[in-house]
Amino acid sequence: MSVMSSVIRGTRRLVHADPALFSNFPFPAVFCRAGSADSLLTCQPNRKFAFKHVKGQKKEQKTQKVKPKVDKQEVEIRQGMTVAALAEAMNRDFDHVLEALLNTSVHLDSLEKDTVLEERWIKEVVTQSGMKFRWAKLSASRERPNRDACRRPPADPTLLVPRPPVVTIMGHVDHGKTTLLDSLRKSQIVSTEAGGITQHIGAFLVQLPTGEKITFLDTPGHAAFSSMRARGANATDIIVLVVAADDGVMNQTVESIEHARRAKVPVIVAVNKCDKPHADPQRVKQELLAHDIVCEEFGGDVQAIHISALKGDNLLALAEATVALAEVLELKAEPTGPVEGLVIESRTDKGKGPVTTAIVQRGTLKRGCVLVAGKSWAKVRFLFDENGCAVREAGPSTVVEVVGWKELPSAGETILEVESEQRAREVVEWRSHDEEQRKLQEEQSAIEQKQKLHLEEYRREREGLSHLSWRQRKVALYRANKTRFATRPSERMQSDQLSLPLIVKGDVDGSVEAILNILDSYDAQQQCELEVVHFGIGDISENDVNVAEMFGGSIYGFNVAANRGIEQLAARKGIPLRLHSVIYKLVDQLKEELSAKLPPLVSENITGEASVVAIFDVTVGKKKVAVAGCRVQKGQLDRRFRFRLIRGRDTVWEGSLAAMRHHKDDMQTVRAGMECGLLADGDVDFRAGDIVVCFEEVAAPQVTSWDPGF
């Protein structure tokens, strides 16, 4: 210690002797005299080295020696990346990706540049390369330009020419609409229709004796064809409302009036069947007043013509009234320019392929025109009139059959002419894309709603567990869900819910539409689920039978046929094949099949009642059993039926008897006033005063509660 003190004193002397010599050397403050100016000037910059190093300062010095943070390269990854895409995103070559996957379970020999990597291997490559990854954001889809076709603006009035009126015949079923058209065009259509009722839209061009032409549309009057009547109302200029003078205003009459009102089409009332003895045309006109149809004789503007379609009475007056109203409406159209029209009906013909019945509203339709309707297009190959004769062209208000469609358009679609086949494909592609986007938005909304409901339910479940620790919460959730998870049915198990899958085929689009509309009204899902798994137009095919076999369903065909091979195939596979030509018969058979699916309703019919008087112990083999001694009070006891033991107001036992005896004789039945011994099948505690009831279980067939309304 003395040596160290001597060294320090000697050093101080040297510093004071020649300060300039040691000015470049950093000395601790111990070598400077306290309070001297030299110590303040020379040693102040290095004062921090004069303090004693404590533990806290050592730790501070260690933390200051941390290596500077190196920014890692960020790689943008996405699902389904190929090896080449990953290498490009990392700015590396193909071999680098292989090296990163060298010690993994990936089979490197099978990797090519276009091999799609799993998500975990994409992350592994990026991590092994000393980089970090981030998920690529979904780029907002670029909005596609609207390539749809649309109607032309209104034509110049100087280019318009008069056109024949389009008249729709509407009214209740069996009021004589088709008979009226037969009388006007001298045909016998009604005799060829199944069931004597119209089940399609018919279109005819009628030339009157005076020379005027009128295009008539005949709509079905049955309740099942509401959509067809609506289409007819939207495509027409004038509606002739046929009302039977003996029936008056009926359900479909009122519906036809509503269709005319919505379409804003003028109405002419044809009071039919005026030749019948109980006809009362005045009652018909008065009933129409309740539906705002005011005839001229009551001060209104609606013409009412009394006719007899069967005998042809007063039909000329009806035609003249129609022509007069058409002149008042000043019906004109532009015969030039691109064609615009409306699909009245569509069907598949064996020789012609997809065929549509269309009414031309604007322009002139010719062979070779390129048309678009809905999501299908056509290059017109042939045009046929209502008689099946080929025509070269069709002007406004003309109804023709168009052949040349690539796919079958739906009835009610608007027909537009476009410049070329390429343009038609663009329009169809755009419409398909637009419909797909709308469906995606609807599905996204449904998913978001489901997620919202699930989140609310999740929060409600955990509100009562918020005060618990995570361990207690886990135990509570396990106990709450243990039973539910244990009883969760397997995905392969069939549902106990009854169901009837259907395959629906029709001759035309309108028929299928009518049947689907009827099925939409099905409201007995709690009894049996009704599901349409496939529908289409045309005859029954092998594919229909295979689909029905797959789903275990039935095939219903309306106005279609099935060849012998298809019938044998369906019979071999046990597929019910229901073919009908009258729609209400089809619906009746569907209701019968639904009712047959339902379990029978079991009811109890009480046949007798007895009271227990005493209990006896009888030895049967080596065992003693209790036998109830009873007296029959009402009806009779029958051993074949079931029995119920009632004590007070409680049912103690229910089952069948092992034996029933009167004295020592086995009895099948015991009547009122007689005594008998009853031995139950099983251990039953009979007591005196109990009531024994004998009842028969009667099974009655259950009928579906669905009522389609006709």
Side-chain angles (χ1 to χ4, degrees), residues 364-383:
T364 301
L365 181 59
K366 301 177 182 178
R367 291 177 58 180
C369 290
V370 180
L371 307 177
V372 174
K375 293 185 293 181
S376 58
W377 65 279
K379 184 173 183 180
V380 179
R381 291 165 48 210
F382 299 103
L383 296 173

Side-chain angles (χ1 to χ4, degrees), residues 316-365:
L316 186 58
L318 177 62
E320 290 173 352
T322 305
V323 172
L325 183 56
E327 290 176 356
V328 172
L329 296 174
E330 295 183 353
L331 301 174
K332 294 182 179 181
E334 182 187 6
T336 58
V339 175
E340 295 178 10
L342 186 70
V343 177
I344 299 297
E345 197 58 274
S346 57
R347 61 186 174 87
T348 301
D349 189 275
K350 287 184 178 179
K352 302 174 185 176
V355 179
T356 62
T357 302
I359 183 167
V360 181
Q361 297 173 326
R362 194 174 178 183
T364 301
L365 181 59

Side-chain angles (χ1 to χ4, degrees), residues 469-505:
S469 66
W470 70 271
R471 231 177 252 280
Q472 294 171 330
R473 189 160 55 246
K474 188 175 180 181
V475 172
L477 287 173
Y478 171 75
R479 288 175 179 170
N481 297 325
K482 180 171 63 175
T483 308
R484 185 174 67 181
F485 291 154
T487 59
R488 183 172 56 187
S490 172
E491 291 181 357
R492 296 185 180 180
M493 288 180 62
Q494 294 184 354
S495 173
D496 295 334
Q497 176 69 34
L498 298 173
S499 65
L500 177 60
L502 288 183
I503 289 87
V504 177
K505 297 298 287 287

Side-chain angles (χ1 to χ4, degrees), residues 224 227-228 231 345 411-412 508-518:
S227 56
M228 285 192 186
R231 273 202 305 279
E345 197 58 274
V508 296
D509 184 75
S511 301
V512 177
E513 181 186 16
I515 295 171
L516 295 180
N517 287 340
I518 295 171

Side-chain angles (χ1 to χ4, degrees), residues 636-643 656 660 668-669 695:
Q636 67 176 15
L637 305 185
D638 194 321
R639 182 178 170 182
R640 297 169 300 175
F641 298 156
R642 293 181 64 81
F643 289 79
S656 57
M660 183 171 66
Q668 188 70 30
T669 59
F695 62 94

Side-chain angles (χ1 to χ4, degrees), residues 500 554 556 576 578 588-597:
L500 177 60
S554 301
Y556 279 78
R578 327 282 194 190
D588 288 343
Q589 184 161 22
L590 176 58
K591 290 170 66 177
E592 290 175 4
E593 187 170 0
L594 285 168
S595 300
K597 285 265 184 183

